Amino acid sequence: INYSQTRMTQTPKQNFEEEEKRDSVENMKGLTTPLQSKYWHPTAQNNLKNPESFNLYSHPVKFNGKNNIPISRKVKPISCFASENTNQPILKESKPPLVVVGSANADIYVEIDRLPKEGETISAKTGQTLAGGKGANQAVCGGKLDYPTFFVGQVGEDAHGKLITEALESGGVCVDHLTTVSNAPTGNAVVMLQSDGENSIIIVGGANMSCWPEELSYEDLEIVRSAGIVLLQREIPDFVNIQVAKAARNAGVPVILDAGGADSPIPLELLCCVEIFSPNETELARITKMPTGNFEQISNAVEQCYDLGVNQVLVKLGANGSALFTKGEEPLRQPIIKAAKVIDTTGAGDTFTAAFAVALVEGKSKEECLRFAAAAASLCVQVKGAIPSMPEKRAVFNLLQSA
């Protein structure tokens, strides 16, 4: 089905408020069954000559949650269903989308033999700038895995913002909810890549951490409510994640929270809205203040996550694979699917999380989800860069068949 243009059919405010009251946590649907869209209805438009005039989100926002400085926010006109771009997803009611709300960075890569010591200056072999950020990484992974994917985030009015926007679009991601802000630069990260493929990263938040409105727009929250699954990370402000998680929970949409990003305590208000919490073993140790050196210690740390209100914990264990813990059940363990050669581990965790989410919303069993995610991560580490390393769905299937 081709839609030359598509826009949202908004629910009247009164009906929306009544719908919100009816929704509750008790009515949440199981993760293994794809959820049907409640609010999103594709509507064909007949060759609109001026799509900019139909931009639902062009009104300026005159406030800032931190300092009340007037800011300019620009959102691209609705275009993600334009038939001319074969990379853009076509949303079908039988496939409620993957919605990623999070960060977008320009990753400045420097290749080094080793990390510098304190006070030391060393030379890098090469350096280049690539699109990245945990949110953008996960969104492109969803798009490349051939699943309808939306990204909600912010970039600055600079070359890095254009770089990220182009990377998202070419990865098959709908960017109608990507906002350009004039009062902050695009977020960036310095990735120090060592010869063994391991990396150390320094993040500068930029537009990811500033200029967000105190309350997200109706349109942004509406696409969250229409999702099949929502992915969050901690490279954007907690108050944004909390709004998104609450909107998703009240609409019966499962949320996966990736623990990567800020090292501050995670608000309980956020955790109580999360269906699956996904840290790596280092993040799990930091959050629980417990050792995670072996599987028994990891299991004990996960128990503390249960106490915080999370019933499922998906732990990424690096070379030791992954494990999905569900309260009251035996954990499911998945070894890595060995890569021919490890080039760069940047983005591997994001690939794993997003691939797991795609398999889950498509109705696969949890064991199948873990294996699918392991295969996607194995392909990711064989290519330099985060977004450039996101695998195609066919490549993942081929690896699973041969592994």
Side-chain angles (χ1 to χ4, degrees):
I1 300 175
N2 289 327
Y3 299 103
S4 60
Q5 290 287 339
T6 304
R7 65 181 177 85
M8 267 188 197
T9 302
Q10 294 189 6
T11 306
K13 184 176 180 182
Q14 295 83 358
N15 292 342
F16 166 71
E17 290 175 348
E18 292 174 5
E19 190 78 20
E20 282 278 84
K21 292 177 182 178
R22 288 197 298 269
D23 287 328
S24 66
V25 179
E26 289 74 21
N27 292 327
M28 286 183 69
K29 298 181 180 179
L31 277 175
T32 56
T33 302
L35 300 174
Q36 296 300 315
S37 171
K38 287 185 177 182
Y39 301 97
W40 182 265
H41 303 288
T43 304
Q45 303 292 316
N46 296 320
N47 298 321
L48 298 175
K49 294 181 179 179
N50 184 16
E52 288 80 2
S53 65
F54 289 83
N55 183 0
L56 298 177
Y57 324 126
S58 59
H59 55 280
V61 178
K62 297 296 185 181
F63 54 83
N64 180 298
K66 298 292 183 181
N67 50 24
N68 294 322
I69 298 174
I71 61 174
S72 171
R73 297 169 60 82
K74 299 178 183 178
V75 180
K76 296 186 66 175
I78 294 177
S79 60
C80 73
F81 304 104
S83 58
E84 304 87 56
N85 188 347
T86 57
N87 285 324
Q88 294 288 10
I90 301 298
L91 183 62
K92 301 178 182 179
E93 291 204 13
S94 60
K95 271 195 170 186
L98 166 66
V99 175
V100 182
V101 183
S103 60
N105 288 330
D107 290 343
I108 303 169
Y109 274 80
V110 289
E111 293 190 48
I112 55 178
D113 290 324
R114 59 175 177 81
L115 293 174
K117 299 176 182 178
E118 185 176 351
E120 181 184 21
T121 299
I122 63 174
S123 296
K125 297 176 181 178
T126 61
Q128 63 182 131
T129 302
L130 301 170
K134 294 190 72 64
N137 292 346
Q138 292 175 6
V140 171
C141 183
K144 284 195 171 183
L145 292 175
D146 199 27
Y147 196 85
T149 302
F150 286 73
F151 179 66
V152 181
Q154 297 190 154
V155 294
E157 290 183 329
D158 48 36
H160 286 165
K162 294 178 181 178
L163 171 72
I164 291 165
T165 302
E166 291 172 359
L168 288 165
E169 290 176 329
S170 64
V173 179
C174 179
V175 295
D176 291 350
H177 299 264
L178 176 63
T179 302
T180 300
V181 298
S182 62
N183 293 54
T186 300
N188 58 78
V190 178
V191 181
M192 293 171 283
L193 179 63
Q194 299 175 69
S195 56
D196 60 358
E198 293 299 320
N199 60 67
S200 298
I201 304 174
I202 302 171
I203 294 175
V204 181
N208 295 315
M209 293 301 295
S210 62
C211 298
W212 287 90
E214 292 176 345
E215 294 184 4
L216 297 182
S217 71
Y218 175 88
E219 294 81 12
D220 286 347
L221 292 179
E222 190 74 342
I223 193 60
V224 168
R225 297 183 186 102
S226 75
I229 196 163
V230 171
L231 286 181
L232 301 175
Q233 325 81 39
R234 301 201 68 216
E235 291 182 347
I236 59 174
D238 284 332
F239 79 88
V240 176
N241 278 335
I242 289 170
Q243 287 184 61
V244 172
K246 284 184 174 181
R249 180 196 62 185
N250 290 336
V253 178
V255 175
I256 297 179
L257 173 63
D258 190 308
D263 59 1
S264 58
I266 303 176
L268 295 180
E269 190 178 8
L270 173 58
L271 284 174
C272 73
C273 298
V274 170
E275 189 79 11
I276 299 178
F277 180 52
S278 183
N280 60 32
E281 71 267 44
T282 303
E283 292 159 349
L284 181 62
R286 185 185 71 220
I287 292 162
T288 62
K289 295 180 172 56
M290 297 175 68
T292 56
N294 55 52
F295 195 78
E296 183 180 357
Q297 291 177 341
I298 289 169
S299 299
N300 292 334
V302 167
E303 290 289 335
Q304 187 166 327
C305 292
Y306 295 155
D307 294 339
L308 297 175
V310 179
N311 292 326
Q312 295 187 79
V313 183
L314 176 60
V315 186
K316 300 176 282 277
L317 300 172
N320 293 318
S322 61
L324 177 62
F325 295 83
T326 303
K327 190 173 183 179
E329 300 179 11
E330 287 295 315
L332 301 175
R333 301 184 67 173
Q334 171 64 48
I336 64 167
I337 296 177
K338 194 170 182 180
K341 184 178 181 181
V342 177
I343 303 297
D344 180 9
T345 59
T346 307
D350 296 329
T351 301
F352 182 93
T353 304
F356 183 93
V358 167
L360 199 57
V361 77
E362 288 185 334
K364 303 294 189 296
S365 70
K366 292 176 181 178
E367 292 87 351
E368 290 173 316
C369 292
L370 287 169
R371 186 164 171 77
F372 184 80
S378 177
L379 292 169
C380 171
V381 300
Q382 299 181 55
V383 180
K384 186 169 70 173
I387 284 180
S389 68
M390 299 299 162
E392 303 282 348
K393 192 170 190 176
R394 180 174 297 179
V396 178
F397 283 149
N398 290 342
L399 178 57
L400 285 172
Q401 290 174 358
S402 62

